[in-house]
């Protein structure tokens, strides 16, 4: 059976060159990077080279990069690290309703510890209005954290504008760039941010490697205390192979970024164009300001998990924001925040493509997607409208 | 995640479709919650002679709909009323825990269809 | 040149079988373990199998294992996770002066957040006195955290006795078993602990994989918030290859534990026996209650880093607790806590061996160690005593 | 971490040992802090004709001791007093930052040895 991986926004295959770069650090170079003997020193040099490449990808200085184990860790580190560092200055944070759980749930934890958090609304395309950011700022505000690009609806936020507002007010700005770094050009300076989270598995690097960019001179309290690894800011014996892999992946992403964008964008456009020919189907997120390999839809009258399963049966791996496809059994809060009613949010489906995607895959996909929708609509009690749908809140039945 | 039986009933659902001349129709669930099931039955001599369904929902919901219509056919109304969430899950070789309760509306929809038939009969 | 790795307590080479087990998850099985499609489901199954093997190694249930990225993360998670979960019950923690930085520095962070911490003293062998634990307990005590075995002096603490005291008082008990799990038999039940940290790289598993054992029914607040990975207790896209590697390493450790102990113990004894023939040299830590592959000494009149460097020149990789060999330029607090004067602590040297160590290695080592000491003593101004040494505290000169 | 020059002076230190008939002796550092350096000099016509050392300390401390004795030989006392931490580090092709100040006691020990010589001469 054909296998087409269309869940690149969740995670990515490892680039073969990345794995090659990692291998020696699984084999000969196992020494502790802190140690004084040879194997340890080789490991330390490898880490510093990786830091250099990783910094280059986002146009940062290498000492501004702290390696972590995941995007989620970087987000937790950024929010708690700034909150605890600046709690004497103020106890107010601003985030958006588009944030990933790793930002949202950290914000909720901080609320329990006495911080106040403003959750900014989204427009129907998922955009945060910079004017709303400005209005939300108080004397107590110590951090603004806005996601760069949504993995669910693909929309890219105007981070540079928001960062400018933050900078104007002397407030630190963090962006969760996990789904953008490696997929679109990212420059920490032109984005006007002080902290940025990203993860290697989003650009053909290994799982288990993430980074937090911390602008020089910014004080953060560690999330993981311990030894003096990462300049005392993130403890734990370094995961040398993963860090080396992140460095290599960053190097490849820097080199190939435009090529990758040019490769996926026409495919994404073809998916969207073909899909929009289907009745009662619409695009979610912004049509222009969106990730180049990201196509996301609401398909009326059928449910996302069922689409996923039928597509999986045809070899196509993808994602959905429907309640049934999430283990929490709740429709994606982002879909609700951009004004999609809960019953329509059930029909969410997300396709994300990558450098391994071919024209043949796209042709096969366009055909199959249409067939799957047709099939599920034959089973559905709805055909022309949502007759009989109660507009009540749905509590999960247990 | 799903048993082979679930996958079979999901990918090849039995008894799909509307029944214009149904003797009883039962609807359970709400698309807001991700699942809605509509069951149609034909009844003769207190026995279900035919059952069909239309379902909006996930893989489990569709498989449950398929199996409940299959199981109901040929049962007396009293026998059919004994079908439960548990017996449907068992007939499907099990359902994942989180699907056990949220997408397993078949027994309830069938009960409603039987009640609908009975109320139409004035019983 | 001969290469003898004698820093096993810092980190270990990857077992070739472990790497083999990991490889498929770098290549074909890259899917997101949370997803519904096949590659994702294979990854999920692999994680659950690894959880089972990892649990077995410490005689726990598999749902009591949370995967993390390092021993340091597990320690941070345990302390902060319990502190925040039980802060309404009390705000006092008990640790020992033997703790790893990842426990100590987390304890210091918690002190800044309003918690009180008692640091228990050590006797001259490094042992914590269970009676001291009992005395330190107050109505406010919510957690006792004592390291299982010292990576610096090899001493193994009487965790089971301390755990019994904790249990008797209804107080949670955590142990940092990073340097013991995989090296000695460890059973969470007979140790009477509620939480236990450990790391795969300590038993021939990969870097980047750690675990926290959390006894069923124990509530902890996450350290890394986000998605529902690890049952909502530790977020981040799972590092599938590392987790699989940890599972395989745990399986091998369970199988080979006794064999490994029988292999290293006679070598350790040979090192100690030969070393003790040298004048003005003594063993640090307990002679019986110590890690089977661990030999640590104070060599009078010479300095640890110089020993390390000369030994490295002879192909021998080892560690020291001297000020100059640490980047913090402070002699090991553990050495000071067991009553070793600062000038003697400078002569600390630590050798830890493993399953790759051979009799030939040990013979070469014993000879070389003696020669290195002789050579450095020829350079030293001290020969018979510490004449002229001021017993003043030393502040790092900057 | 260390330059080749440091490694060379550390593994083959020049001018090691006590000098029973030294004209000046200088001691700097404290083993409590990890480094102690003792420098012995012989002086003739205001020139250092011979220098030796004994050092307790790390690799950098030993290398610094070795090079300072090498450099001092043949210098006038005034020239020798111009030796600094920086010039020693430079002669060793650099020292790691954390070693730059804490193990680089050579210039101070030499200065003390020269002072010792001068005070003995009653100068
Ligand atoms: C006793 C102990 N605890 C914690 C750690 C930290 O573990 P890791 O380096 O995996 O973060 C170590 C380091 O090896 C250790 O020896
Ligand atoms: C926008 C965003 N932030 C954070 C994360 C979490 O990253 P990780 O899974 O590497 O922890 C993700 C997940 O892919 C993401 O898409």
């Amino acid at each position: 059976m054909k296998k087409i991986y269309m869940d690149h926004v969740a995670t990515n295959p490892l680039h073969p060159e990345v794995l090659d770069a990692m291998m020696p650090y699984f084999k000969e170079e196992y020494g502790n990077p802190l140690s004084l003997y040879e194997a340890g020193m080789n490991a330390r040099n490898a880490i510093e080279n990786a830091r250099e490449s990783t910094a280059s990808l986002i146009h940062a200085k290498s000492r501004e990069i702290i390696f972590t184990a995941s995007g989620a860790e970087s987000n937790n580190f950024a929010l708690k690290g700034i909150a605890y560092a600046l709690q004497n200055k103020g106890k107010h944070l601003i985030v958006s309703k588009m944030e990933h759980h790793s930002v949202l749930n950290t914000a909720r934890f901080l609320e329990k510890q006495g911080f106040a958090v403003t959750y900014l609304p989204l427009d129907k395309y998922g955009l945060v209005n910079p004017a709303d950011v400005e209005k939300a700022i108080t004397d107590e505000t110590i951090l603004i954290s806005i996601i760069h690009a949504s993995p669910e609806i693909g929309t890219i936020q105007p981070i540079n504008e928001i960062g400018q507002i933050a900078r104007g007010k002397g407030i630190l700005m963090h962006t969760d760039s996990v789904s953008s770094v490696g997929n679109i050009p990212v420059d920490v300076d032109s984005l006007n941010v002080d902290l940025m989270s990203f993860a290697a598995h989003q650009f053909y690097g290994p799982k288990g490697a993430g980074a937090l960019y911390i602008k020089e001179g910014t004080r953060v309290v560690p999330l993981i205390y311990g030894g003096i690894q990462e300049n005392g800011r993130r403890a734990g014996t370094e995961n040398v192979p993963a860090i080396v892999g992140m460095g290599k992946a960053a190097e490849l992403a820097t080199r190939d970024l435009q090529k990758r964008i040019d490769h996926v964008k026409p495919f994404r456009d073809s998916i969207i164009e073909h899909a929009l020919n289907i009745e009662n189907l619409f695009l979610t997120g912004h049509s222009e300001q969106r990730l180049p390999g990201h196509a996301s839809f609401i398909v009326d009258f059928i449910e996302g998990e069922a689409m996923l399963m039928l597509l999986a049966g045809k070899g196509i791996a993808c994602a959905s924001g429907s309640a049934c496809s999430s283990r929490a059994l709740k429709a994606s809060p982002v879909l609700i925040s951009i004004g999609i009613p809960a019953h329509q949010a059930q029909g969410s489906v997300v396709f994300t493509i990558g450098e391994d995607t071919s024209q043949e895959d796209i042709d096969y996909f366009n055909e199959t997607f249409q067939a799957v929708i047709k099939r599920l609509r034959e089973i559905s009690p709805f055909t022309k409208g949502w007759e009989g749908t109660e507009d009540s809140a749905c509590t999960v039945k247990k | 995640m799903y048993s082979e039986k679930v996958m079979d009933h999901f990918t090849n659902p039995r008894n799909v479709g509307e029944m214009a001349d149904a003797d009883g129709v039962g609807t359970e669930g709400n698309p807001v919650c991700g699942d809605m099931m509509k069951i149609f039955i034909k009844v003769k001599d207190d026995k279900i002679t035919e059952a069909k369904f239309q379902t909006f929902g996930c893989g489990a919901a569709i498989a449950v709909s398929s199996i409940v219509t299959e199981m109901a056919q040929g049962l007396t109304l009293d026998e059919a009323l004994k079908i439960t969430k548990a017996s449907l899950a068992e007939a499907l070789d099990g359902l994942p825990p989180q699907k056990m309760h949220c997408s397993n509306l078949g027994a309830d929809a069938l009960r409603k269809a039987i009640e609908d038939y009975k109320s139409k009969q004035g019983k």
Side-chain angles (χ1 to χ4, degrees), chain A, chain B:
Chain A
M1 192 176 62
K2 235 180 149 36
K3 297 242 176 200
I4 308 180
Y5 185 70
M6 297 181 78
D7 197 12
H8 283 265
V9 82
T11 194
N12 283 275
L14 204 52
H15 196 290
E17 281 185 58
V18 172
L19 183 54
D20 287 347
M22 293 167 69
M23 286 315 286
Y25 298 90
F26 285 122
K27 294 182 168 169
E28 304 84 35
E29 305 292 356
Y30 56 80
N32 176 7
L34 286 187
S35 65
L36 298 171
Y37 41 80
E38 192 187 325
M41 287 192 280
N42 293 344
R44 191 153 72 235
N45 290 339
I47 290 174
E48 294 317 314
N49 289 341
R51 201 186 305 283
E52 191 75 44
S53 313
T54 303
S56 289
L57 179 59
I58 59 166
H59 301 271
K61 298 178 197 128
S62 85
R63 60 180 169 279
E64 296 176 318
I65 298 296
I66 305 291
F67 287 115
T68 67
S70 68
E73 184 188 330
S74 298
N75 281 337
N76 277 255
F77 183 12
L79 266 74
K80 293 189 212 172
I82 295 299
Y84 287 119
L86 299 186
Q87 56 184 330
N88 294 329
K89 203 179 147 209
K91 295 192 111 181
H92 177 235
L93 291 80
I94 298 172
V95 305
S96 82
K97 291 197 174 171
M98 193 189 267
E99 303 309 314
H100 188 258
H101 292 297
S102 49
V103 167
L104 279 183
N105 291 340
T106 303
R108 290 199 188 108
F109 166 78
L110 289 171
E111 285 183 301
K112 284 197 197 123
Q113 309 307 321
F115 291 82
V117 181
T118 300
Y119 300 86
L120 297 175
L122 309 175
D123 75 9
K124 66 180 172 175
Y125 303 111
L127 290 168
V128 170
N129 185 344
D132 288 344
V133 177
E134 188 136 25
K135 269 183 277 173
I137 292 173
T138 73
D139 287 350
E140 283 276 304
T141 309
I142 52 175
L143 181 69
I144 299 168
S145 178
I146 309 286
I147 193 171
H148 194 186
S150 169
E152 298 178 67
I153 60 172
T155 299
I156 299 171
Q157 299 290 356
I159 297 300
N160 55 346
E161 266 184 79
I162 300 171
Q164 210 157 24
I165 293 169
R167 206 147 277 181
K169 303 259 185 180
I171 296 167
L172 293 177
M173 171 87 195
H174 167 251
T175 184
D176 169 2
S177 296
V178 172
S179 53
S180 59
V181 168
N183 292 301
I184 56 172
V186 171
D187 178 331
V188 288
D189 284 327
S190 65
L191 287 177
N192 299 309
V193 296
D194 304 290
L195 301 106
M196 175 185 282
S197 303
F198 55 113
H201 67 93
Q202 294 281 344
F203 45 92
Y204 310 104
K207 295 174 174 62
L212 182 63
Y213 158 80
I214 307 176
K215 195 180 169 67
E216 227 176 341
T218 309
R219 199 168 75 81
V220 289
V221 165
L223 178 68
I224 299 178
Y225 279 96
I228 52 147
Q229 295 95 349
E230 301 298 300
N231 230 339
R233 302 210 268 187
R234 199 267 188 180
T237 296
E238 293 92 337
N239 188 352
V240 185
I243 289 172
V244 167
M246 182 160 194
K248 186 68 188 177
E251 188 192 313
L252 298 179
T254 306
R255 188 191 70 192
D256 294 344
L257 187 59
Q258 196 52 51
K259 206 173 83 187
R260 288 181 186 170
I261 294 172
D262 293 344
H263 179 77
V264 294
K265 216 167 170 177
F267 291 158
R268 173 200 77 181
D269 292 340
S270 162
I271 291 174
I272 294 176
E273 195 193 312
H274 278 81
L276 292 181
N277 285 332
I278 301 169
E279 278 188 9
N280 296 308
L281 176 153
F282 57 94
L283 185 73
T284 55
H286 200 283
S287 57
E288 302 294 321
Q289 292 294 100
R290 72 182 298 130
L291 290 170
H294 191 292
S296 57
F297 306 100
I298 296 291
V299 186
D300 270 340
F301 314 139
I302 61 178
E303 192 276 336
E305 193 231 7
M307 279 191 268
L308 245 57
M309 300 295 301
L310 272 195
L311 287 163
K314 306 282 181 194
I316 296 167
C318 62
S320 164
S322 82
C324 284
S325 66
S326 85
R327 290 220 198 147
L329 299 177
K330 269 171 58 180
S332 153
V334 171
L335 296 176
I336 304 303
S337 296
I338 61 172
I340 295 176
H343 58 280
Q344 285 189 293
Q346 307 296 353
S348 141
V349 65
V350 184
F351 306 103
T352 45
I353 52 185
E355 62 176 10
D356 53 313
T357 311
S358 69
Q359 180 64 52
E360 199 192 331
D361 292 343
I362 295 297
D363 294 342
Y364 174 79
F365 165 78
N366 282 335
E367 207 174 292
T368 309
F369 185 37
Q370 195 160 359
V372 160
I373 292 173
K374 183 159 175 285
R375 175 135 188 75
L376 288 172
R377 283 189 174 161
E378 281 163 8
I379 302 176
S380 175
F382 305 107
T383 48
K384 302 208 162 46
W386 290 97
E387 59 280 339
T389 298
E390 295 163 41
D391 200 14
S392 66
C394 182
T395 53
V396 177
K397 287 152 280 178
K398 292 232 171 134
Chain B
M1 188 176 82
Y2 287 138
S3 70
E4 273 178 43
K5 199 102 178 246
V6 171
M7 288 309 292
D8 175 39
H9 276 270
F10 165 58
T11 44
N12 304 299
R14 306 7 165 199
N15 310 311
V16 171
E18 209 169 354
M19 195 190 277
D21 53 350
D23 296 323
V25 181
T27 304
E28 184 62 33
N30 184 338
V32 171
C33 316
D35 300 287
M36 193 175 100
M37 219 170 265
K38 204 162 174 179
I39 294 209
F40 307 86
I41 52 172
K42 277 222 145 136
V43 183
K44 197 169 176 189
D45 299 337
D46 247 29
K47 268 198 175 165
I48 295 173
T49 55
E50 206 186 335
K52 294 189 90 173
F53 79 91
Q54 286 185 316
T55 289
F56 168 91
C58 67
I62 291 171
V64 163
S65 310
S66 168
I67 199 133
V68 75
T69 54
E70 203 173 61
M71 282 167 68
Q73 292 187 27
L75 297 188
T76 65
L77 295 181
D78 283 350
E79 285 167 343
L81 284 170
K82 286 187 187 133
I83 292 176
T84 61
K85 276 184 201 299
S87 62
L88 290 173
E90 203 190 315
L92 287 166
D93 294 343
L95 280 174
Q98 77 273 25
K99 299 288 179 186
M100 191 57 204
H101 299 290
C102 91
S103 307
N104 189 343
L105 308 172
D108 292 335
L110 177 63
R111 186 178 37 72
K112 284 195 175 171
I114 294 172
E115 281 165 8
D116 180 50
Y117 163 76
K118 286 184 177 171
S119 77
K120 279 181 184 157
Q121 300 298 309
K123 288 189 193 176

